[in-house]
């Protein structure tokens, strides 16, 4: 991987972070997709409510085959890959840019600055990652809540041809903002603090 990233045109921090996010997001999608299919079905279909995870999974497979736990993979990739890339890449680049601007303006990087910069960068990264991943999150819910042969592309076409057009992919994003902002801000802030606690330079420095 290091040799690949050293090729001309690829020796860029943004490209490196994007590729790392792509790999991590894809790996997370492969692991999470079956569980997301099960979780969504258990909260959207009364026949699955109250069953244990094992019983619900067996019911899905018995009714729809093994494809029932993997049919949401395209939607999962559309959600998780943009989410991971945007969250990690934007946090690194925003903190790095903020610290550089502060140094150029002659500000001392005090403890308070090292708290404020990652906190504000984490909030911004959370907002961006919510926006980039919401269409995939919406499609994932639709695909896994539906028992039948319809796939991600079918639901995407329905949304695009609906009254709202492409704006239909952003339905429900407001309540999700609160959810994602809380999770990502806490996660990235703790991550940055933990790095410094064990002697690793703060993100962006």
């Amino acid at each position: 991987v290091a040799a690949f990233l050293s090729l001309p045109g690829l020796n860029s921090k943004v490209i490196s972070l994007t590729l790392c996010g792509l790999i991590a997001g894809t790996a997370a999608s492969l692991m999470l997709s079956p569980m997301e299919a099960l979780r969504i079905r258990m909260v959207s279909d009364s026949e699955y409510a109250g069953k244990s995870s094992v019983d619900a999974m067996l019911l899905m497979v018995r009714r729809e085959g093994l494809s029932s736990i993997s049919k949401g993979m395209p939607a999962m990739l559309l959600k998780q890959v943009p989410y991971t890339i945007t969250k990690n890449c934007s946090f690194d680049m925003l903190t790095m840019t903020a610290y550089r601007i502060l140094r150029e303006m002659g500000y001392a990087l005090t403890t308070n600055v090292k708290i404020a910069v990652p906190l504000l960068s984490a909030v911004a990264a959370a907002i961006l990652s919510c926006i980039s991943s919401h269409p995939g999150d919406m499609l994932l819910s639709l695909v896994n809540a539906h028992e039948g042969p319809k796939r991600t592309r079918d639901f995407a076409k329905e949304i695009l041809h609906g009254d709202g057009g492409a704006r239909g992919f952003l339905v429900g994003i407001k309540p999700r903002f609160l959810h994602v902002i809380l999770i990502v801000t806490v996660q990235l802030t703790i991550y940055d603090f933990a790095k410094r606690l064990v002697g690793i330079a703060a993100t962006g420095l």
Side-chain angles (χ1 to χ4, degrees):
V1 174
F4 174 71
L5 291 177
S6 66
L7 292 173
L10 287 178
N11 190 16
S12 160
K13 188 173 181 65
V14 174
I15 294 176
S16 299
L17 290 170
T18 300
L19 288 174
C20 290
L22 173 62
I23 294 168
T26 302
S29 297
L30 292 171
M31 291 184 287
L32 291 172
S33 187
M35 295 299 101
E36 278 292 285
L38 178 63
R39 180 188 66 82
I40 292 171
R41 187 61 63 85
M42 290 179 73
V43 300
S44 64
D45 191 328
S46 59
E47 290 191 50
Y48 291 83
K51 293 183 180 295
S52 69
S53 297
V54 174
D55 290 339
M57 181 70 79
L58 290 174
L59 178 60
M60 283 180 64
V61 173
R62 189 163 57 247
R63 283 186 170 183
E64 304 172 59
L66 286 172
S67 62
S68 61
I69 61 174
S70 62
K71 68 178 183 179
M73 179 58 71
M76 190 72 201
L77 288 168
L78 288 172
K79 171 190 175 180
Q80 197 64 38
V81 171
Y83 172 84
T84 307
I85 290 175
T86 308
K87 181 184 72 171
N88 295 346
C89 189
S90 61
F91 181 66
D92 276 65
M93 298 309 297
L94 286 169
T95 51
M96 184 173 65
T97 301
Y99 284 130
R100 188 184 72 245
I101 291 172
L102 289 171
R103 281 195 294 262
E104 289 174 353
M105 295 175 66
Y107 287 98
L109 300 184
T110 63
T111 301
N112 288 338
V113 169
K114 290 181 180 179
I115 292 174
V117 167
L119 179 61
L120 293 174
S121 297
V123 173
I127 293 171
L128 293 172
S129 60
C130 182
I131 295 170
S132 69
S133 65
H134 190 73
D137 183 71
M138 184 178 180
L139 288 169
L140 182 66
S141 297
L142 291 172
V143 171
N144 286 326
H146 176 77
E147 183 175 332
K150 292 174 70 174
R151 294 294 185 262
T152 301
R153 62 180 178 274
D154 300 316
F155 287 103
K157 288 177 182 177
E158 287 182 3
I159 294 172
L160 283 172
H161 295 152
D163 294 336
R167 288 179 299 176
F169 286 111
L170 297 179
V171 171
I173 195 170
K174 290 181 180 179
R176 188 165 177 262
F177 267 132
L178 178 61
H179 169 76
V180 174
I181 287 172
L182 284 173
I183 290 176
V184 172
T185 300
V186 171
Q187 182 186 58
L188 291 177
T189 303
I190 292 175
Y191 165 74
D192 190 70
F193 177 76
K195 284 174 66 178
R196 283 181 277 169
L197 197 63
V198 297
I200 301 173
T203 306
L205 289 176

